[in-house]
Amino acid sequence: MVVDPPSDPPLPLAARPEAAAQVDGPNDAAAPDAEAMLDLRLVRGAQQGELASFNSLVRRHEQAVFNVCLRLLRDAHAAEDATQETFVKGWTAIHTFRGELVRPWLLRIATNRCYDLLRARHRRPARSLDAEPFEIEPDWTSQAGQEEHPESFAVRAELALHLERALAALPDDQRLAAILIDVQGYGYEETAAITGAALGTVKSRISRARARLRQMLRDDPACAELFERFGRPTED
Amino acid sequence: MDERQDQESGVSPNNAPADGGAGHSERGPSRRRSAHLDQHLDTDALSAYLDDRLDEPERTLAASHLARCEACQGDLAELQATVALLSGLPQYRPRRSFELGPAYASRGQPSRFSRFLPLIPALRVAAAVVALLLVGVTAADIRFADDTRPPAQQAVSRSTAPSTSETEATEGRQTSEDLPAADDAGSSAGVAEPAGEQADRALQAVPAAPATVAASNRTADTSLAAPAEADPATDRAPSTGSNRPSAWRLAEVGLALVLLWLLVGLVGLQRLRGTSDPRAGA
């Protein structure tokens, strides 16, 4: 099996167009700065007590916060509650914001809240939500810019279902690392800041998470062949 | 290269085998690099390589190995596929907005004092400790104020009217007629001394008796004029060289002020917490 020439290392995740499009909008070098500046202006307004400024921040970041909560909690209602609580907490604690990036700051609040809920859920496991699909229809339009063959898309969509289940089977810390780095496209440093873990710990978690996910996809007879086909390099 | 050897070594040069590259003439890192060309990449190394998180020597080493090792190429391809699948997972649009309603503009308005909310338990403990200290200091003040008064007054009286005090001490009683006489002698401290000694005796007889016992003895044994004369003497005691009573008072006042400040802070923070949304504490 031959993959991309090793002398040409793969593009880092943070620089991948599709990941950047999902997280920070256009993959333009100047765009993140402009986005961050706009966030900071809104934060200043919110710190002055302007609820409208804070609600602008909510609109800009609610989808990212909700998706992290949803994949961590695997329950749409719980994720909605956690997202709402994140923004209420963010509003009451906006005066503690000190020049960081807004989204990681919000995600730190969100992940802390999700961890609390997960701990409570582990203490009294009423029902397992891990194997259940989300109650919300996925939005595939974020990858609509790429010309993808319908068959390839069908394979990917089928594998996505299996991968979501595999994600749910990961330990919480590894799942969070995979969600933040691979799904949401954050860098190691940002993930370390969000989770409060050391950089080496983040590297270790994402490595173990990827290895386990890969193993689960390979071992699942329902998707092993699809996974092999997906990983096979296209022959022109 | 069928066997996966040294899976945990990654591409770290520190894990070079002792005999690796012995046949090469290169020295240092070059020799180690030659040794690692034959070692498979572990998951950490592949993951870091995928994210371009390896140092330049390690990345070169990994790339050189991958160019020759089909097993590692397969592992990298599967890992790459896993990451591609993860980054291609769909996003989910929230079913509703999470904007905060107008009620939050007043109820949840951020306060610069909100950062002190977590200190409420500590403030409670501090207030309790300070209250206990205040009670202790007040009790000690009452206890020692009577212990310290006689020696001070004795010292003063010995220097001013020793004969009078000794006479009055042996008599043990003082009449209302004696007090003006002593006062006329120009020694107000001498006037207070008998009352002080009586208080001292009262304390020796009943160790736990507070000043009220001494005061009652004093008023019982002396005329109404005696306390009137003794009080100015007590007030003048600090000015005669002993400042211990005033130190106790200062401690009491200081502790009372600290306690008051803590209580005001506690009440304010409790109100602040009450006005904020209960879900904000999550």
Side-chain angles (χ1 to χ4, degrees), chain B residues 9 20 24 26 42 48 57 90-91 128 154 156 167 173 188 202 267 274:
Chain B
S9 65
H24 296 267
E26 299 104 338
D42 65 4
Q91 297 290 298
Q154 278 177 355
V156 174
T167 306
R173 296 278 175 182
S188 58
V267 169

Side-chain angles (χ1 to χ4, degrees), chain A residues 1-4 6 9-10 12-13 16 22 49 51 54-55 58-59 62-63 66-67 70-71 76-77 80 83-84 87-89 91-92 94-95 113 134 136-140 143 156 160 163 182-184 188-189 207 210-211 213-214 218 227 230-231, chain B residues 43-44 47-53 59 62-63 66-67 70 73-102 104-105 108-112 114-115 276-277 279-282:
Chain A
M1 184 183 296
V2 178
V3 293
D4 297 334
L13 279 176
R16 288 176 196 162
Q22 286 177 27
L51 187 61
F54 187 80
N55 277 336
V58 173
R59 285 191 296 275
E62 63 184 358
Q63 184 164 350
F66 174 71
N67 274 270
L70 182 64
R71 287 204 160 92
H77 294 289
E80 285 171 350
T83 305
Q84 188 67 76
F87 287 116
V88 171
K89 177 74 175 174
W91 168 244
T92 56
I94 192 70
H95 59 278
R113 180 61 188 145
F134 298 138
I136 309 175
E137 284 299 312
D139 175 21
W140 293 94
Q143 286 96 38
R156 194 160 63 88
L163 188 59
D182 285 343
V183 181
Q184 298 297 128
Y188 286 20
E189 287 79 6
S207 165
R210 287 169 175 172
L213 290 173
R214 168 194 162 209
R218 281 173 60 178
F227 181 56
F230 182 80
Chain B
T43 305
D44 286 349
S47 181
Y49 178 79
L50 207 55
D51 291 340
D52 201 14
R53 301 291 300 198
R59 195 190 70 79
L66 282 165
E70 287 189 8
Q73 286 176 18
D75 289 346
L76 180 65
E78 286 190 350
L79 209 58
Q80 209 166 12
T82 306
V83 173
L85 280 172
L86 282 167
S87 62
L89 283 179
Q91 297 290 298
Y92 291 86
R93 287 192 193 281
R95 296 179 293 194
R96 63 180 178 87
S97 168
F98 298 104
E99 292 180 26
L100 304 186
Y104 283 96
Q109 194 158 17
S111 164
R112 62 197 176 100
S114 299
R115 71 188 72 175
S276 63
D277 190 277
R279 297 168 75 183

